[in-house]
Amino acid sequence: MAVAVPVAPQSAAIVPRRGQFLRSMPAKAKVGGAILGLFLLVAIIGPAIAPYDPSATNPNALGAVGPTAAHLLGTTSTGQDVLSQLLVGLRSSIVLGVLTASIATFLAVATGVTAGFLGGIADEGLSLLMNVFVVLPALPLLIVLLGYLPGSGDLPTAIVLSALGWSWGARVIRAQTLTLRSRDFIAAARETGERTWRIVTFEILPNEVSLIAANFVGTFLYAILTSVALAFIGVANFSTWNLGTMLFWAQSANAFSTGAWWWYVPPGVAAALLGTSLVLLNFGLDELGNPRLRNTTGRRKRPHARWRPGTGLSTAAHPHQPRWSGRAWRPTDPTPVERAEPLA
Amino acid sequence: MIPADTARNGPTAVPAGEERPPVLEIRDLSIVYRGDVDVKAVDHVDLVLAPGETVGLAGESGSGKSTLALGACRLLRPPAVITGGSVVYRGSRVAPGGVEILDQGSRELRKLRWREISIVFQSAMNALNPVLRIRDQLGDVLDAHLNLAREEKRERLGTLLDLVGIPRERLRSYPHELSGGMRQRVMIAMALAVDPEVVIMDEPTTALDVVVQREILAQIVELQKRLHFAVLFITHDLSLLLEIADRIAIMYAGRLLEVGSAEQIHNRPAHPYTRGLLESFPSVHGARKKLAGIPGSPPDLRSLPPGCPFVPRCRYATEPCRSVDMRVLPVAGSDERHLSACPFVTAETAERAAAALASSATAAAPQRERS
Amino acid sequence: MTATLRAADVLPAASARGPLVLEAHALAKDFRLSRGLHGEVLSAARDVSFGLYRSAVVALVGESGSGKSTVARMLAGQERPTSGQILLDGAEVRPWARGTFRSYKGDVQMVFQDPFASLNSVHTVRYTLRRPVRLHQRAKRKDAVAAELQRLLERVRLTPPDQFLAKYPHELSGGQRQRVAIARALAARPRVLLADEPVSMLDVSIRLEVLDLIDELRSQFELAVLYVTHDIASARYFADDTLVMYAGEIVERGPSEDLTQRPAHPYTQLLLAAAPDPDRLGSPIKVEVARDTRRAGSALATTVGCRFAPRCPFADERCGAESPPLLAINSQRAAACWRLDVAAPALVSETGEERSLPMNS
């Protein structure tokens, strides 16, 4: 039973429109979103605009050549165009990321919500499953499974990656569902006579949207970085081009020691940028599921801090940066005093 | 804000003959929450605590009462900032002339906090660390402020629990082994651990059952008689304050609306809001009557009307109310320590209106046993 | 050894208003406190019997841990009673069962305590109200549903309705949210409204309004209202009958006014003495109670004797050995106490009846 004195109304005359949450996301998230958008665009049109076939070698090539007019990012030691490889490879990596994230998130939500909401023996069984997968040694298993993968293409890789990545998110979602289940509005939904599946879909899930989105983005990141890392050490599907295989070939051709930076820097930077954009985007996802944080005035400012009169304050993002003794305010500092004019 | 001629004494001035100055003097304090729109949580409020006095601070959510108390101790976090006023503490252990709390740095404030001014927070019983025993938590407080030898410390811990009526062997208990009432009493013991002169209590009994609440209140009163500390008691339950407070201040939307003794507030409430509040508590004693209450809803501090914030809900509101300057002034027909921010509604006009209402209510009273 | 008291025997004041709608008969709820193999059993509610009458308000008063919310939840069908029956219009129902729950909800609705938690923050008011309208009123056409939503909001005095339908809960004040919660309950067109501390989390100045609203709806729709509260003063103000609960049992019952003015049971007396009295200026009465270190109001199933005995100033040996049943004091009042002649001598001497005999079912 909550005991706090009731909170004052935070009524606004203007009703938040759904689109306004985009405007109110923190700058970091907007930057991340923009970068990711760019990458997605490349993923879609990349192969179409690649000037050369990425696998086409030049028998006359003497070695890796730096950027020229004909090859904007130079060539590999076998005369392949790095730019084309990058454009094609990006698509492959991103598709892999999206696939993995989708499968893993679906698994995590399905098991997490079911376990959390139903409780009892279903919870026990699913939790057991989750915990087993969590403690499985992921890296060795990935190497073994991916190394001996019979088929080619992104889908089997995505399946393996998501099989080893879904359980963390599932545990978190289960925990969130457990908290939500005991809330009054769920009991109220039952009072109204809602069926269980409707309660789960329309009452619980909307409250978990930000968590699910964060899960998706996080798994996306994990897929990209893991696949690049594994490909770098040789565990990959070499029939397609992706960022990791580019790095692998660069490394096996000693590009690092010969200084052929145009070969390994573009894929590395691309992978890093892609990962960074996902991390930045995550900052803005908190507000997805919480109408309270959507900026109701439509002003292009960060959302003001969640204010509760009389109690302490939880500062999410606040534009006013108070200073104390010349540095940013810390929680152990006293309340700042800003007098307009000196005391009489 | 007070008129210049009463500036020297102020609303809760110590009566002539007393030498000791007020132990805590809050003058013209303003606290603002910065944001898209700056919200004035506390707007030019005066409040004075005499030594050993119990002052009640009543108000609903959004009134600013907790903000006032926490702000006076510099315990609020940004985006809260104090934008004006002064808070002077004049305990017997600090320099004569007092300490201006708003000018102190972290180190000085740490010396003041708990040793001079302590706080019992809302639902404080949940503030106890569940993995530490009671004696460790109380002991931490003693260690932080006093340098006691081990024997002394043990004795003091025992004395503290005796003070609040908890058996000494409970020092070895964990918080979950105590009931809510006992935990709250531990919090009170913790607040009194190093002999402060001012104890701020922010809704200390709201989470407790009415019987336990009564016990705790009686305990506080008894402790006050023994240890002579002043209490600033913050609550939304005005009926509680009428029983235990010497003086009561009523806040609404960040402003002080009325200040007076418990007797004055109860028998001669001046401000319409106070009247309304008194009409909002069903009572088990006395005749059963239809309560009028207060229409409307609590204000939104981001969009307050000009003038008096109570205008939207006040049955006596007129045009001049929208430009009143909200100073608390002595109430006509009462002594100079009974102040109200409403210069228009006097006790008489309110009485007449109330009588008219009562007569129509009694005519309608049979309606209560309705169809 | 407790005697059951059928609601019809001691005639509640509420029965004057209308016929019996919902009846609780010897309801009990036990919770197993899991402590290894030998879990102890906590009796959250024991032998609770009372009735709800059309157009009447019955208050269930008690502290936290008294079992009052458990009783309300059992009547709402959210908890399954360990034993006892629930009767709707005289016929036994099992609201917790899958099949009957839905139709039961069309008759009995609950309003929750916390207005900030009982509305889903991701849904607008429109969605929140549309669901019960669709489910219970079988209104399918858009305009029929829309008209009904307007009517509902007007009934709870949230006007203009269109403005409120588009709002999210965080844009509403506590009082407004509670009105929406009441509208949601009304959308099912129930005959019984179970209000679990509907105003205790609201600001003082709006409590009266919400209570007055419930009262108005009660008379307009002839609802049978159960008002669960810890505030006995509001029970006096609002309810026809009051039942006082302690440690899972009903210890006293009677018309609200008489009960609060002339309490019989020592616990009721304690509650009333502890309630703030504005007329008692500046001298808080210290209520002497034996310091019971257990959590007030909870009792294990294995407890013998009257559960209030450890804190009771009048307790004697019999109280510690034998748990008293509800004994009738007069035609409208009853209290579960062996020492009524000492606790409330004036009341007892009024009636010359054999008040020491338990009521038969």
Side-chain angles (χ1 to χ4, degrees), chain B residues 32 37 46 60 68 70 77 101 103 106 119 141 155 170 210 224 247 270 286 292 313 332 341 349 355-356 359-360 362:
Chain B
V32 162
V37 178
D46 295 328
E60 301 173 299
L68 174 68
L70 294 177
R77 308 165 67 178
I101 293 183
D103 284 340
S106 324
I119 305 191
V141 176
E155 188 47 41
R170 290 303 188 134
V210 69
Q224 248 195 319
R247 303 185 54 74
R313 307 168 77 184
T349 54
S359 58
S360 63
T362 45

Side-chain angles (χ1 to χ4, degrees), chain B residues 187-211:
Chain B
M187 293 310 296
I188 294 175
M190 209 185 286
L192 298 174
V194 283
D195 266 336
E197 298 211 18
V198 175
V199 180
I200 299 177
M201 299 196 169
D202 192 354
E203 308 264 14
T205 54
T206 306
L208 301 171
D209 300 320
V210 69
V211 178

Side-chain angles (χ1 to χ4, degrees), chain A residues 5-6 11 313 315 335-336 338, chain B residues 34 61 74 76 78-79 82 122 203:
Chain A
V5 171
S11 53
L313 175 67
T315 51
T335 312
E338 292 171 9
Chain B
R34 300 240 185 260
S61 59
R74 309 278 297 282
L76 295 174
I82 299 175
Q122 213 166 342
E203 308 264 14

Side-chain angles (χ1 to χ4, degrees), chain B residues 43-334:
Chain B
D43 203 351
H44 299 296
V45 172
D46 295 328
L47 196 62
V48 177
L49 220 64
E53 191 183 28
T54 303
V55 169
L57 191 49
E60 301 173 299
S61 59
S63 58
K65 54 194 195 299
S66 293
T67 310
L68 174 68
L70 294 177
C73 302
R74 309 278 297 282
L75 283 172
L76 295 174
R77 308 165 67 178
V81 284
I82 299 175
T83 54
S86 108
V87 178
V88 179
Y89 171 72
R90 292 195 185 87
S92 47
R93 285 189 282 248
V94 300
V99 171
E100 168 62 68
I101 293 183
L102 299 188
D103 284 340
Q104 303 302 308
S106 324
R107 194 170 304 166
E108 298 86 33
L109 282 172
R110 213 171 297 144
K111 282 197 235 139
L112 281 178
R113 290 203 188 118
W114 227 258
R115 188 90 171 92
E116 310 290 335
I117 307 176
S118 67
I119 305 191
V120 178
F121 290 97
Q122 213 166 342
S123 69
M125 51 203 167
N126 295 325
L128 286 171
N129 190 333
V131 301
L132 290 179
R133 295 182 199 269
I134 301 296
R135 65 148 185 258
D136 294 325
Q137 303 199 47
L138 282 177
D140 278 347
V141 176
L142 292 177
D143 288 337
H145 294 272
L146 303 172
N147 241 326
L148 295 177
R150 197 140 62 107
E151 253 322 297
E152 261 186 49
K153 181 167 135 183
R154 202 136 53 100
E155 188 47 41
R156 185 152 182 108
L157 287 174
T159 320
L160 278 175
L161 282 199
D162 290 340
L163 258 186
V164 291
I166 297 181
R168 283 201 185 196
E169 58 262 18
R170 290 303 188 134
L171 279 170
R172 290 186 4 247
S173 303
Y174 286 96
H176 67 269
E177 295 171 334
L178 304 176
S179 70
M182 292 181 95
R183 278 181 282 172
Q184 194 67 328
R185 278 187 261 153
V186 167
M187 293 310 296
I188 294 175
M190 209 185 286
L192 298 174
V194 283
D195 266 336
E197 298 211 18
V198 175
V199 180
I200 299 177
M201 299 196 169
D202 192 354
E203 308 264 14
T205 54
T206 306
L208 301 171
D209 300 320
V210 69
V211 178
V212 178
Q213 176 174 289
R214 170 85 23 198
E215 276 183 34
I216 304 256
L217 290 177
Q219 188 96 69
I220 294 174
V221 169
E222 192 190 304
L223 287 169
Q224 248 195 319
K225 290 206 186 78
R226 252 206 276 178
L227 302 174
H228 309 294
F229 52 88
V231 171
L232 180 61
F233 199 104
I234 304 171
T235 179
H236 63 281
D237 192 344
L238 183 57
S239 53
L240 206 70
L241 289 179
L242 290 171
E243 279 196 57
I244 67 163
D246 300 314
R247 303 185 54 74
I248 300 177
I250 314 255
M251 281 185 73
Y252 186 84
R255 295 192 165 278
L256 195 59
L257 292 190
E258 186 167 353
V259 182
S261 73
E263 189 267 332
Q264 286 161 346
I265 298 282
H266 181 248
N267 295 334
R268 287 185 303 282
H271 201 284
Y273 177 59
T274 315
R275 303 192 132 262
L277 269 188
L278 290 170
E279 285 279 303
S280 301
F281 290 96
S283 171
V284 288
H285 309 278
R288 184 190 200 185
K289 53 184 185 210
K290 177 97 175 118
L291 292 172
I294 306 177
S297 33
D300 180 1
L301 286 164
R302 284 174 299 183
S303 53
L304 286 175
C308 177
F310 190 59
V311 160
R313 307 168 77 184
C314 182
R315 69 175 83 110
Y316 310 100
T318 49
E319 201 43 47
C321 294
R322 293 179 218 279
S323 47
V324 72
D325 72 2
M326 295 305 297
R327 289 191 307 177
V328 275
L329 300 170
V331 174
S334 198

Side-chain angles (χ1 to χ4, degrees), chain C residues 45-62:
Chain C
R46 260 203 340 186
D47 199 29
V48 171
S49 303
F50 62 92
L52 297 177
Y53 296 82
R54 197 168 70 190
S55 292
V57 182
V58 172
L60 199 53
V61 175

Side-chain angles (χ1 to χ4, degrees), chain C residues 245-265:
Chain C
M245 279 190 78
Y246 182 81
E249 292 173 333
I250 297 183
V251 295
E252 184 165 1
R253 55 188 300 165
S256 307
E257 182 69 21
D258 198 31
L259 187 142
T260 52
Q261 299 308 299
R262 303 189 302 166
H265 195 281

Side-chain angles (χ1 to χ4, degrees), chain C residues 105-152:
Chain C
K105 284 293 110 189
D107 286 314
V108 178
Q109 278 285 322
M110 184 147 144
V111 175
F112 295 84
Q113 177 181 9
D114 187 350
F116 304 94
S118 65
L119 299 179
N120 194 339
S121 49
V122 299
H123 290 316
T124 56
V125 170
R126 177 176 279 121
Y127 178 91
T128 306
L129 293 181
R130 207 171 45 196
R131 290 305 305 153
V133 169
R134 282 250 179 83
L135 285 170
H136 290 277
Q137 295 186 33
R138 310 206 172 283
K140 290 290 194 280
R141 295 180 36 199
K142 267 198 161 175
D143 43 356
V145 171
E148 183 60 27
L149 292 182
Q150 300 258 345
R151 262 199 299 273
L152 276 173

Side-chain angles (χ1 to χ4, degrees), chain A residues 108 111-112 127 130-131 134 166-176:
Chain A
T111 50
S127 292
M130 280 181 226
N131 291 332
V134 160
W166 68 273
S167 48
W168 296 94
R171 282 162 58 104
V172 174
I173 291 180
R174 171 182 172 272
Q176 172 85 325

